[in-house]
Amino acid sequence: AAFLAGLVDALVGGGGLIQLPALMLVPGIAPITALATNKLAGFAGTGSAALAYGRRIGVDRRLAASTALLALLGALAGASLATRIPSSTFTPIVIAALVLVLVLTLTRPRLFTSLRRALPTRRLMRRALPASSLIGLYDGLIGPGTGSFLLMAFVGAGRMPVLEATALSKLVNAATNLGALLLFSGHGVLDWRLGLLMAGANVAGAQTGARWAMRV
């Protein structure tokens, strides 16, 4: 599941739709532990994909730094909220989010296709920064589909070319995963052994997916 999640996430985002349900099926695992462990594996995969894209595709550094920082802060806030939600309430929220993201991804494929002229950098910044903050908050709180939401925002609202938007979304998603991971690690809810094993598989999938995306 972690390998497949890394592969899919590197292509179009949404690896959490595969990885988080797999974690929630682990017998006896608490929902917050599943979410936290998912962040560890996801950070390794998205970070790896961001490096792979970064070597081949240029992204505006100021845009990348600004969006990543705001997304990280948003994820810290979201993860803080997640630690305060009771398990009995948290599980239905995660399942509902999984279903919504899956339906949106399947029914709105055009949101991933750049069809209009690219925006000037300043207008792109005005749209990308608030979107990154809100999506970061969502990622820290729940998570599934974050990469897809970022891609939709950068391609749909920001009118970025698809590969450039994908490269930026991987960097920002790595920042959101890191922000949530920092918060969760301080609360002692991570399953480090399982998370590190999944991280290795996620990286392998992410490298495969990034190569496919740049080749095709």
Side-chain angles (χ1 to χ4, degrees):
F3 176 86
L4 184 58
L7 189 151
V8 170
D9 201 72
L11 288 168
V12 293
L17 288 166
I18 301 166
Q19 193 164 257
L20 185 57
L23 274 164
M24 293 183 72
L25 291 173
V26 174
I29 194 169
I32 191 67
T33 299
L35 181 62
T37 306
N38 178 57
K39 293 303 173 194
L40 175 56
F43 171 64
T46 52
S48 171
L51 289 173
Y53 279 110
R55 287 194 293 264
R56 296 280 299 276
I57 299 165
V59 177
D60 184 282
R61 291 185 178 182
R62 187 177 61 155
L63 174 64
S66 300
T67 51
L69 177 59
L70 288 176
L72 186 148
L73 294 175
L76 280 169
S80 179
L81 289 173
T83 61
R84 303 175 188 179
I85 298 176
S87 295
S88 58
T89 305
F90 193 76
T91 301
I93 291 174
V94 171
I95 292 172
L98 287 167
V99 173
L100 283 172
V101 174
L102 181 60
V103 170
L104 183 61
T105 303
L106 293 175
T107 59
R108 300 289 181 179
R110 289 187 179 182
L111 292 173
F112 299 95
T113 307
S114 184
L115 299 174
R116 296 171 294 174
R117 182 178 299 177
L119 290 174
T121 302
R122 287 187 178 180
R123 289 184 63 190
L124 173 59
M125 291 275 284
R126 286 198 294 268
R127 296 187 181 189
L129 294 180
S132 297
S133 301
L134 290 173
I135 295 171
L137 180 68
Y138 166 82
D139 191 38
L141 179 60
I142 303 175
T146 296
S148 298
F149 288 149
L150 287 168
L151 195 54
M152 291 175 193
F154 296 148
V155 173
R159 303 186 191 178
M160 294 179 68
V162 174
L163 270 181
E164 186 179 332
T166 303
L168 180 60
S169 72
K170 294 307 106 187
L171 177 63
V172 175
N173 201 179
T176 63
N177 282 326
L178 176 60
L181 183 59
L182 290 172
L183 194 290
F184 288 137
S185 62
H187 282 73
V189 294
L190 270 162
D191 185 329
W192 285 98
R193 183 186 177 194
L194 179 59
L196 289 171
L197 287 170
M198 292 180 70
N202 201 295
V203 168
Q207 287 296 307
T208 303
R211 290 194 184 99
W212 284 3
M214 289 183 283
R215 186 179 304 165
V216 179

